[in-house]
Amino acid sequence: METPNNERGNERETNQDDPGYERAIHQEWHHALDHTADLKAAGDPTDPTVVTAPADTTAAAQASPTDLPIAPTEPAVAPAAGTATAVVAGHPKHVADPSDLVLAIRGLRVSFSGNEILHGVDIDAPRGGVVALVGPSGCGKTTLLRSVNRLTELAPTASITGEVQLDGSNIYDRGTDLNLLRRRIGMVFQQPNPFPMTIFDNVAFAMREQAKSRPSRSSLMPAVEDVLQRAGLWGEVKDNLDRNALSLSGGQQQRLCIARTLAAHPEVILMDEPCSALDPRSTARIEELIVQLAGSLTIVIVTHNLAQAKRIGDYAAYLLNGDLIEQGLAEQVFEDPREQSTRDFVSGMFG
């Protein structure tokens, strides 16, 4: 269903009685997890939480369920003190202090119907860096990623043990506020999933929901502009913010989803193959955006593209059959790996 009255003018407000608005709320609270698809995928012994979306670069790609409500944006912060910057393959890279961990995964085990997918995985994510998770299909990368903001447990047969520490606190502790957690740890999915509403309303949605009184469009505009600028989309959409977001190209839709995530001012953004459904030009823009955002926040990205992981990763972690085989600086993992299995994988012998 199209968002009604897309062309009424800049002061049009979202109609909360409209079915499209209610659908968006429904999508938000399902955390981008298609429950039916997950149940079907649960028969896959390799990685039941992986629901692979087909490549689709058309302008009208349909929205899928999305993440939790987001909070008003705050100004971008500068890279942390002591963060080193280098240029690799044309991209500036932010090699964060490895002792300053925003995420520390310890002994993470995930099972579905008694079938263990992750076998006691330990992974570090330094603050302000880009961590690339690599490995062949079915090794548990997406299960790991979804476990970091507690999406995996929504599958009915999931069993999870171990810890995921965010700034030293275990996110699996009883009483964890999942709304706050998923604002602090945002997620961008493989298939772009904008809401069926305007560009402006996609970004402003949760700002309105979380405000004590409904803010005006004019009061929200600076925050909306800020996150669209950070997502590299403002220049392309600033003159047509009332355009239906589903009419954007695939690459623009993905950058809009990143902007929507940035509006929560997260500490960490998880990205599950965010470029797999995009053309090379759009992929290059997303990669540039990831590198630009690094330093002000931490990004953990799953990718099957080793060249991409080398271009944008500060750190890399290689998984195989649910085990962490090797992790460290991306340059070391890809160019001088310690483990023979890693050498075989990065050289293209399998995967």
Side-chain angles (χ1 to χ4, degrees), residues 71-77 226-227 230 262-265:
T73 186
E74 298 178 25
V77 297
D226 176 67
V227 293
R230 293 184 69 198
L262 287 172
H265 196 62

Side-chain angles (χ1 to χ4, degrees), residues 140-342:
K141 299 186 299 297
T142 293
T143 293
L144 174 63
L145 204 68
R146 290 187 177 214
S147 298
V148 172
N149 70 348
R150 295 187 56 173
L151 288 177
T152 297
E153 67 194 60
L154 298 181
T157 63
S159 174
I160 304 166
T161 61
E163 294 187 356
V164 177
Q165 297 173 8
L166 174 63
D167 286 327
S169 297
N170 183 16
I171 69 170
Y172 282 95
D173 283 345
R174 182 174 298 180
T176 297
D177 183 336
L178 294 185
N179 288 2
L180 177 59
L181 172 67
R182 293 185 182 123
R183 291 199 298 269
R184 295 178 68 191
I185 305 179
M187 190 156 183
V188 176
F189 296 86
Q190 180 179 11
Q191 190 75 5
N193 56 357
F195 297 161
M197 50 177 62
T198 69
I199 295 167
F200 183 94
D201 290 336
N202 263 267
V203 178
F205 177 81
M207 299 178 192
R208 288 170 171 151
E209 288 300 300
Q210 294 178 358
K212 292 182 179 179
S213 59
R214 187 172 175 80
S216 68
R217 180 185 176 107
S218 59
S219 68
L220 292 174
M221 182 61 75
V224 171
E225 178 180 347
D226 176 67
V227 293
L228 288 172
Q229 288 273 18
R230 293 184 69 198
L233 192 57
W234 175 252
E236 298 168 42
V237 302
K238 63 181 179 181
D239 295 325
N240 202 2
L241 294 176
D242 287 316
R243 179 180 176 183
N244 191 325
L246 299 180
S247 69
L248 295 172
S249 70
Q252 288 174 324
Q253 287 187 25
Q254 192 66 295
R255 281 182 283 148
L256 178 62
C257 292
I258 293 172
R260 191 177 65 203
T261 302
L262 287 172
H265 196 62
E267 296 173 52
V268 179
I269 295 182
L270 311 175
M271 295 187 172
D272 190 5
E273 298 193 62
C275 303
S276 66
L278 305 181
D279 60 86
R281 183 186 180 96
S282 296
T283 294
R285 300 197 71 169
I286 297 292
E287 289 184 8
E288 290 170 1
L289 174 57
I290 290 170
V291 174
Q292 289 166 6
L293 292 173
S296 62
L297 48 78
T298 303
I299 296 173
V300 183
I301 180 171
V302 165
T303 179
H304 281 288
N305 186 333
L306 285 179
Q308 180 180 76
K310 293 176 185 178
R311 286 193 296 268
I312 67 175
D314 302 311
Y315 296 86
Y318 165 55
L319 283 80
L320 179 66
N321 298 328
D323 293 309
L324 175 67
I325 304 301
E326 186 165 349
Q327 69 174 320
L329 288 170
E331 182 177 4
Q332 177 264 310
V333 171
F334 293 125
E335 297 182 10
D336 187 25
R338 294 184 295 269
E339 303 296 329
Q340 184 60 48
S341 175
T342 313

